[in-house]
Amino acid sequence: MKKAIHYINQFFAGIGGEDTADYKPEIREGAIGPALALSSMLNAEITHTVICGDNYMGSNTDEAIKEILSFLEDKEFDIFIAGPAFQAGRYGVACGNICKAVKERFNVPVLTSMNEENPGVEMFKKDMYVFKGGKSAAKLKDDVKVIASFANKILNGEKTGSADKEGFFPRGIRAQVWLESGKTGAERGVEMLIKKLNGLPFESELPIPKQDRVPVATPIADLSKAKIAIMTTGGIVPVNNPDRIQSASATRWGRYDISNVDKLESGVYKTIHAGFDPAAADADPNVIMPVDAMKTYLKEGKFGALHDYFYSTVGTGTTQAEAMRMAKEIIIKLEEDKVDAVIMTST
Amino acid sequence: MVKEIERAGIPVVLLCNLIPVATTVGANKIVPTISIPYPLGDPGTSWETQWKLRYHRVGVALDALTDDIEEQKVYKVKI
């Protein structure tokens, strides 16, 4: 029989409420609290339960994780389950933290469950299976059932379905599947269009993630003193693509020195973007990365300085998560050189 | 990427063709371009025509960096 280890907080272990939230990590043999419900449905034995106070985990996260990982060093287990945490914020974050650490150290599947309002969802949904849970412990049985049925699939080596089908928050991972219907994208697209025209409900295959607005940054007060950097998602690179940026679903970016050129020459630069006909940009890369116009404005004194490099990646099929990561890496370079503003072109 | 840059407090202007995508995703300052494969210069026109268009739209983008706006704005271009 496969083995599972479960993580719960002091409250669900029956130790106490807020007054005992500083409870230090402990490991006990067997299933306790919610694990009892879980064990009745799980195709695995819950050999141990880890307990930790939410505040202890919140205020001494590194220590708590270290202690818990040390408990687990000599244990054999095939899966690690935490919670459900419902709407309990600290508990949710604790479940996420410990699951992430366990996954990194022991490379076993980690599962947890939280309500959508739990801040742990946004923090950890990309790192692990976070199942969509109820608001309070009244939903314990339902939440545990969803976790158990998915856990059993993993334990039995069965195929698992999409986030929607299985009931966890999308992790931002795209999987290619053969549709049982055998319908092509064209057929499905036309069907959706007909439904839309008839005012009938339809389900997009490309849901746009929830909006996330960013406050407008303080504008440049004096352009003639500003240092500006230029960037593109249009895949303009030196012809040998030295950073081997992918033509689609890019995970890499590059930056290329333009301090000594007046424009991007054809034959020296090209586009590797797979989402459009490259002919125009290969013939004149400035139509995507307007180095020539920027250099002219610089000479005319419209702005103070041009950052020595332009930055490039490919924007087609690239996930938001990858784009965010690449941007963060690039921002470090911009800040090092005290760049004041950015002009970005996309295709 | 534009949003991450702006989140870091660096003013940024996006030159792009798919305005509805840019507005939905949440870019704050947007300057339209003319197409996807050649945002800033139609190869079917003369180099001078392309240059005028590119010089104009990049200029609009540079000016937009200084614009103090409250909410998302798509800038008007003349060429």
Side-chain angles (χ1 to χ4, degrees):
Chain A
M1 191 149 186
K2 301 256 172 131
K3 290 175 178 167
I5 292 181
H6 193 210
Y7 173 91
I8 54 174
N9 69 0
Q10 83 288 349
F11 178 76
F12 285 97
I15 291 164
E18 285 299 329
D19 52 326
T20 55
D22 282 321
Y23 196 80
K24 286 194 176 180
E26 183 195 341
I27 187 162
R28 293 190 196 170
E29 280 187 18
I32 298 165
L36 290 169
L38 188 60
S39 69
S40 67
M41 298 178 225
L42 200 63
N43 292 341
E45 181 197 354
I46 299 176
T47 59
H48 296 83
T49 305
V50 175
I51 304 156
C52 182
D54 286 337
N55 285 354
Y56 188 79
M57 180 60 108
S59 322
N60 311 280
T61 314
D62 293 345
E63 281 170 44
I65 287 174
K66 220 169 129 189
E67 283 173 70
I68 294 169
L69 292 180
S70 75
F71 294 157
L72 303 180
E73 283 297 347
D74 60 345
K75 311 284 186 294
E76 274 178 36
F77 57 107
D78 303 287
I79 196 163
F80 186 87
I81 299 168
F86 314 107
Q87 248 184 21
R90 282 169 300 167
Y91 190 21
V93 175
C95 288
N97 271 319
I98 196 62
C99 279
K100 196 174 172 184
V102 167
K103 187 179 163 194
E104 273 166 17
R105 173 73 70 92
F106 303 104
N107 196 27
V108 295
V110 294
L111 283 63
T112 186
S113 164
M114 301 176 204
N115 183 261
E116 60 181 349
E117 296 298 326
N118 197 312
V121 172
E122 274 305 310
M123 289 170 70
F124 296 105
K125 68 180 179 185
K126 290 208 168 88
D127 300 313
M128 65 194 65
Y129 297 110
V130 179
F131 286 85
K132 294 178 179 175
K135 286 186 176 173
S136 73
K139 289 280 178 201
L140 177 70
K141 219 172 167 184
D142 296 342
D143 290 356
V144 163
K145 201 171 157 188
V146 177
I147 301 177
S149 81
F150 185 78
N152 288 340
K153 284 187 189 172
I154 292 184
L155 292 165
N156 301 338
E158 290 168 26
K159 220 173 130 187
T160 56
S162 64
D164 238 22
K165 211 169 153 191
E166 301 287 359
F168 56 86
F169 290 98
R171 292 170 300 161
I173 296 173
R174 289 180 191 157
Q176 210 159 226
V177 292
W178 291 105
L179 292 181
E180 279 172 26
S181 66
K183 271 185 195 162
T184 65
E187 287 170 303
R188 301 198 305 279
V190 170
E191 277 178 12
M192 271 187 245
L193 180 61
I194 291 169
K195 280 185 184 167
K196 187 171 184 173
L197 291 172
N198 288 319
L200 296 169
F202 63 94
E203 207 175 316
S204 168
E205 292 180 13
L206 194 68
I208 302 294
K210 235 176 162 179
Q211 299 217 356
D212 164 26
R213 298 284 170 190
V214 182
V216 185
T218 311
I220 297 294
D222 184 356
L223 207 52
S224 70
K225 286 182 184 138
K227 183 186 275 186
I228 296 173
I230 47 175
M231 294 171 55
T232 188
T233 58
I236 300 291
V237 294
V239 283
N240 63 347
N241 189 11
D243 297 292
R244 300 178 63 206
I245 298 170
Q246 302 93 328
S247 291
S249 304
T251 58
R252 292 193 280 274
W253 56 271
R255 65 172 198 165
Y256 309 105
D257 195 334
I258 45 168
S259 55
N260 293 314
V261 297
D262 288 321
K263 59 178 181 171
L264 296 184
E265 294 284 353
S266 174
V268 179
Y269 295 90
K270 66 170 184 183
T271 180
I272 44 119
H273 196 296
F276 55 81
D277 180 352
D282 287 353
D284 184 359
N286 301 282
V287 298
I288 289 181
M289 189 77 278
V291 171
D292 56 359
M294 288 298 284
K295 289 278 180 166
T296 302
Y297 278 119
L298 179 66
K299 277 182 199 136
E300 292 171 2
K302 189 171 176 72
F303 63 94
L306 183 63
H307 179 56
D308 281 349
Y309 303 86
F310 80 86
Y311 294 75
S312 183
T313 187
V314 164
T316 187
T318 305
T319 63
Q320 286 195 14
E322 290 293 342
M324 281 171 80
R325 176 190 52 79
M326 289 192 275
K328 281 186 179 136
E329 290 168 5
I330 292 170
I331 289 165
I332 295 170
K333 301 283 181 195
L334 301 180
E335 285 174 343
E336 273 171 11
D337 195 37
K338 300 197 166 52
V339 167
D340 297 303
V342 171
I343 302 260
M344 163 85 102
T345 65
S346 69
T347 51
Chain B
M1 295 186 92
V2 163
K3 282 162 72 183
E4 285 309 305
I5 293 164
E6 191 125 56
R7 215 190 296 276
I10 303 172
V12 55
V13 175
L14 177 64
L15 285 138
C16 69
N17 189 234
L18 299 177
I19 305 299
V21 175
T23 51
T24 306
V25 171
N28 286 325
K29 293 178 174 177
I30 303 163
V31 175
T33 60
I34 57 167
S35 85
I36 291 172
Y38 40 87
L40 294 167
D42 179 352
T45 62
S46 71
W47 187 85
E48 284 74 23
T49 308
Q50 293 185 46
W51 167 251
K52 273 185 194 162
L53 178 135
R54 181 153 69 246
Y55 182 81
H56 170 64
R57 297 200 183 201
V58 169
V60 173
L62 285 168
D63 288 333
L65 287 172
T66 65
D67 193 13
D68 195 0
I69 56 169
E70 292 294 319
E71 56 183 47
Q72 192 174 58
K73 183 168 171 183
V74 179
Y75 290 84
K76 288 205 170 66
V77 289
K78 290 184 188 134
I79 313 174

